[in-house]
Amino acid sequence: MCGIVGLYYFDSSRTVQADEVKAMADRIVHRGPDDEGFFLRRNVGLGMRRLSIIDLSGGHQPISTPDGGKVIVFNGEVYNFRDHRPELERRGHQFSTRTDTEVVLHLYDEYGLDFLDHANGMFGLAIWDEPARRLVVARDRIGIKPLYYYRDEEKLGFASEIKAILALPSVRAELEPATLEVYLKYGFTPAPYTLFRGISKLPPGHRMRIEGRQVHIEPYWRLSYLPKATASETELRDELFELLKDAVRYQLVADVPLGAFLSSGIDSSGIVHLMRDLGAGQINTYTIGFGKGYAAYNEMDAAHRFAEDYGTNHHEILVEPEVADLFPRLIAMLDEPVADSSFLVTYLVSRLARETVKVILSGVGGDELFGGYRRYLNVQLGRYARVIPGWLRRNVLERVLQALPADRNSALFNYVRLARAYVRTADLPLDRQYAAYTSVVSEEARRDLLTASSTVEDLHQKYFDECDSPEPLDRLMYFDLKTSLPEQLLMLTDKMAMAVSLEGRVPFLDHRVVEFAARLPVDLKLRGFKLRYLQKAVFRDRFPPYVFEQKKRGFGAPIGSWIRNELKDLTFDLLSESHLKEQGLFHYPTVQRMLDSHFHMREDHTDSLLALIAFQIWHRTYLTPRAATTA
């Protein structure tokens, strides 16, 4: 695990200077405090910071082929490297280390651009091929590892984090105004967008080839939902269990201590169960919780009970953070704002874990693969909602719901919030309904909020059309797999873990599991109003019964309540009338109405306000004259 950087000048007579690449790598020391390394050859420069996980003494990067013709810098892990090494050795390849990185380089040497077909893992990588005068930059299939790039007329720079690209003297931290509305719609910036002008994300499952002055960005992997599996439910259940077990087995490979995040949910519990089945020894588990009044977020009791039953070495942290001080630091670490409070708890539990382990397994991805989000129930609800006359929904039901308080910190009032959102969108086509239901700031609110409008690409329609399944549920899940999973959940998981030099692994996102889950019949994911049908069946007879008896809790913080209390002063500072007028991006009266409605609990504007607060912290951190020295 590490962070990579690179610089390529299109003019082959121009030479990359060592201090250019060194300055980029210095910005991401936290990703790899154990080692650094650089490769410079005329107009190409590669660099890395290393967090040593495999072959601790011999895995220094960059790594070259024996003839020096090809060289790699690599961030991540390829878990099946030991499967490939014997065959590569039989084909004459010679190795000088025990690392997965060197195996990846020799896979390229053997198979050319098809080498990624053979790699099972998470990664951002770059390979310089001197004989072909070709630079290959690639990101893993699902987007577990981030990778950004900047391109202008003279050069292309890339890195694991944006702050490394901003170390280049000619790259200025400027807002891309067109992306601001994209961010407000989704609460994050989906690939290829970022909020920085000129800086883009390499999409998951894509590679970039640079040859001379030509830059080609192309997919090397596509997820298909067809044909659907035809085996019996029992056979599919057993096959899924063995596949999940093998994915965890792969991801237990490390030469350092490792552990697992443990909540009260089926995903993290499943990983701990499989770790125990595989003989992982004494398992370290980590849970985060909150104080009284935040029962909707508190998983400590259930996680503690599970840890006791499984005999893990369990660690807990009760969150009472100075959030007003912590928020600015964490937004700077993220590089971009997100309207998702889980970045805070991910950081805190990662910091706790780093005290005793260097690698952590996480259950991220289970919801998107097996149908775990309550919003997927819209597919079933739509069949019943259409029975209720539209005039009755609009004139009676919606008005009743509007008269009730809405607050996600209350179980009852959170249902009111969700019901309001559903009733408002029930008449829309599925793609537009899902867009409206999941938008952080609604289309109408964005028009009132922004001082300048822009055309927002309809990613819902794009990915609904791109999905090869006609099933509505598959299309919803495919959209999430392409957007919020990589660029929100996985991004913040990577950045917050890396902020404390901890490697996060996500076994459910082994691409074999992803491909298997995609081809499951939809009624094995959502049966009636039962979410995660097959996944629960896999562990039904393996887990203690209480795991299935508790309510699903989101992995996040009580931001809505904090905005009214701990974050109140920060909120009113960042969203003050004088500041917004000086900034010129947002209409203050609209923000004022949001604040007033939220503080009086007429509407729960947690997501919208978090999006604005996070954006303002990001703007203050990066887009001021001092940004170059503080970011």
Side-chain angles (χ1 to χ4, degrees):
M1 180 61 62
C2 58
I4 64 171
V5 301
L7 184 60
Y8 176 94
Y9 284 114
F10 296 114
D11 182 353
S12 59
S13 67
R14 185 167 178 178
T15 302
V16 172
Q17 301 301 312
D19 58 354
E20 294 178 294
V21 184
K22 179 70 162 58
M24 296 175 73
D26 285 348
R27 290 286 184 93
I28 55 172
V29 170
H30 55 277
R31 295 190 71 92
D34 297 334
D35 192 14
E36 68 176 4
F38 303 96
F39 167 84
L40 300 169
R41 186 168 294 173
R42 298 189 300 277
N43 62 319
V44 180
L46 305 176
M48 58 76 65
R49 294 290 322 190
R50 185 183 183 214
L51 180 67
S52 303
I53 302 296
I54 295 173
D55 193 1
L56 306 187
S57 61
H60 176 77
Q61 294 185 41
I63 293 177
S64 302
T65 51
D67 62 2
K70 301 176 182 69
V71 62
I72 186 173
V73 288
F74 182 86
N75 164 35
E77 305 286 351
V78 165
Y79 303 113
N80 62 341
F81 74 102
R82 291 176 176 169
D83 299 341
H84 290 296
R85 180 163 173 156
E87 176 61 25
L88 289 169
E89 288 176 327
R90 281 193 291 271
R91 292 174 180 238
H93 293 265
Q94 299 177 356
F95 294 86
S96 59
T97 75
R98 296 185 293 107
T99 65
D100 57 332
T101 299
E102 190 175 19
V103 171
V104 173
L105 179 62
H106 284 271
L107 286 173
Y108 173 81
D109 198 27
E110 179 68 27
Y111 299 108
L113 291 175
D114 293 332
F115 76 113
L116 294 170
D117 295 343
H118 304 270
N120 180 324
M122 57 178 187
F123 50 82
L125 63 85
I127 294 175
W128 173 245
D129 184 338
E130 177 68 23
R133 297 293 298 168
R134 173 199 294 153
L135 178 63
V136 178
V137 180
R139 188 179 179 193
D140 67 74
R141 294 170 178 84
I142 314 301
I144 303 168
K145 293 285 110 181
L147 198 57
Y148 305 89
Y149 66 94
Y150 170 88
R151 179 185 180 185
D152 60 24
E153 292 297 319
E154 67 172 9
K155 64 182 175 297
L156 186 145
F158 61 89
S160 298
E161 297 190 13
I162 291 174
K163 57 179 64 69
I165 295 174
L166 294 176
L168 293 170
S170 59
V171 180
R172 297 180 59 188
E174 296 179 321
L175 173 67
E176 177 52 70
T179 307
L180 178 54
E181 189 164 356
V182 175
Y183 165 71
L184 291 175
K185 179 176 181 178
Y186 298 107
F188 59 93
T189 51
Y193 302 104
T194 78
L195 281 165
F196 291 92
R197 177 173 289 165
I199 299 178
S200 302
K201 295 183 178 79
L202 185 65
H206 281 64
R207 65 171 176 246
M208 179 163 55
R209 288 185 294 117
I210 304 101
E211 297 170 309
R213 293 183 175 273
Q214 300 299 312
V215 179
H216 305 278
I217 297 176
E218 54 208 2
Y220 65 85
W221 178 79
R222 296 183 188 275
L223 179 63
S224 176
Y225 286 73
L226 298 175
K228 289 299 184 185
T230 57
S232 70
E233 182 178 317
T234 300
E235 290 171 326
L236 292 173
R237 182 194 63 200
D238 294 343
E239 186 176 352
L240 176 57
F241 178 76
E242 293 302 323
L243 194 53
L244 290 173
K245 189 172 183 179
D246 198 52
V248 172
R249 178 181 64 83
Y250 265 160
Q251 299 194 24
L252 290 177
V253 175
D255 295 331
V256 296
L258 50 77
F261 291 147
L262 179 62
S263 68
S264 61
I266 189 173
D267 294 327
S268 61
S269 299
I271 288 172
V272 172
H273 178 93
L274 291 166
M275 290 173 73
R276 188 188 68 173
D277 272 11
L278 289 162
Q282 181 67 62
I283 302 170
N284 289 285
T285 54
Y286 306 87
T287 298
I288 193 165
F290 299 89
K292 292 182 178 180
Y294 300 118
Y297 299 89
N298 207 332
E299 301 180 316
M300 291 184 73
D301 291 344
H304 183 83
R305 183 179 180 184
F306 189 89
E308 280 194 332
D309 286 346
Y310 276 70
T312 73
N313 183 24
H314 193 53
H315 309 257
E316 298 176 340
I317 179 173
L318 185 66
V319 179
E320 295 178 355
E322 294 295 330
V323 289
D325 296 327
L326 195 55
F327 255 52
R329 285 203 295 124
L330 299 188
I331 295 297
M333 293 173 184
L334 286 169
D335 284 340
E336 287 195 278
V338 292
D340 184 341
S341 63
S342 62
F343 74 83
L344 176 72
V345 292
T346 300
Y347 170 78
L348 292 171
V349 75
S350 296
R351 189 174 66 182
L352 172 69
R354 188 61 179 87
E355 295 175 3
T356 45
V357 299
K358 211 169 183 178
V359 176
I360 199 81
L361 272 62
S362 166
V364 170
D367 285 311
E368 290 80 3
L369 298 188
F370 303 113
Y373 289 126
R374 283 181 294 195
R375 60 180 179 260
Y376 295 151
L377 294 173
N378 288 5
V379 174
Q380 303 290 52
L381 285 171
R383 300 172 183 175
Y384 298 97
R386 294 185 189 96
V387 177
I388 304 174
W391 65 267
L392 181 61
R393 289 200 307 268
R394 292 186 294 271
N395 297 327
V396 179
L397 186 56
E398 189 169 342
R399 288 184 181 182
V400 170
L401 291 170
Q402 198 64 38
L404 296 172
D407 182 15
R408 66 183 64 204
N409 286 328
S410 161
L412 174 61
F413 295 153
N414 189 44
Y415 281 119
V416 173
R417 179 183 70 89
L418 296 171
R420 280 185 190 176
Y422 180 77
V423 169
R424 288 171 184 165
T425 62
D427 292 327
L428 298 174
L430 183 65
D431 59 332
R432 290 180 57 201
Q433 181 197 44
Y434 201 61
Y437 196 76
T438 57
S439 289
V440 170
V441 182
S442 69
E443 185 176 358
E444 180 182 0
R446 294 197 303 270
R447 285 197 300 266
D448 292 339
L449 178 63
L450 291 167
T451 57
S453 62
S454 59
T455 302
V456 179
E457 182 181 10
D458 188 351
L459 293 179
H460 291 86
Q461 187 63 55
K462 173 185 176 181
Y463 289 121
F464 275 38
D465 290 345
E466 189 176 293
C467 180
D468 63 356
S469 171
E471 295 285 353
L473 180 63
D474 283 339
R475 294 186 172 197
L476 298 184
M477 297 173 72
Y478 182 74
F479 171 82
D480 287 342
L481 193 78
K482 287 294 187 179
T483 57
S484 59
L485 178 62
E487 312 307 350
Q488 180 179 2
L489 296 177
L490 291 172
M491 185 277 283
L492 68 85
T493 299
D494 171 84
K495 299 285 183 64
M496 294 296 90
M498 283 280 87
V500 295
S501 303
L502 178 73
E503 173 175 304
R505 297 180 177 179
V506 282
F508 286 144
L509 297 179
D510 180 307
H511 74 272
R512 299 170 302 164
V513 178
V514 174
E515 291 167 349
F516 178 86
R519 290 189 168 92
L520 288 173
V522 292
D523 73 333
L524 293 183
K525 301 172 188 175
L526 176 61
R527 179 163 293 185
F529 289 97
K530 294 179 180 178
L531 298 166
R532 299 175 178 268
Y533 177 80
L534 188 67
Q535 186 189 15
K536 288 179 179 178
V538 165
F539 292 103
R540 181 71 64 186
D541 297 328
R542 294 180 168 96
F543 281 169
Y546 60 79
V547 175
F548 300 100
E549 294 167 358
Q550 55 207 356
K551 293 182 179 179
K552 178 179 173 61
R553 295 178 174 90
F555 185 66
I559 295 295
S561 176
W562 286 352
I563 287 172
R564 300 186 188 103
N565 298 284
E566 290 90 341
L567 290 173
K568 181 177 179 180
D569 290 342
L570 178 65
T571 298
F572 281 106
D573 172 41
L574 293 170
L575 302 180
S576 67
E577 182 175 12
S578 60
H579 179 62
L580 294 185
K581 284 185 175 179
E582 180 183 358
Q583 189 182 48
L585 296 173
F586 306 108
H587 289 298
Y588 175 71
T590 303
V591 176
Q592 185 181 38
R593 287 194 296 271
M594 283 184 184
L595 289 168
D596 184 65
S597 182
H598 183 81
F599 272 80
H600 289 89
M601 293 177 63
R602 292 192 298 272
E603 288 275 0
D604 188 304
H605 286 296
T606 297
D607 293 337
S608 299
L609 291 174
L610 178 56
L612 290 172
I613 292 166
F615 174 82
Q616 295 290 38
I617 293 172
W618 171 82
H619 194 279
R620 182 176 288 182
T621 301
Y622 283 95
L623 304 189
T624 63
R626 61 188 180 87
T629 58
T630 61

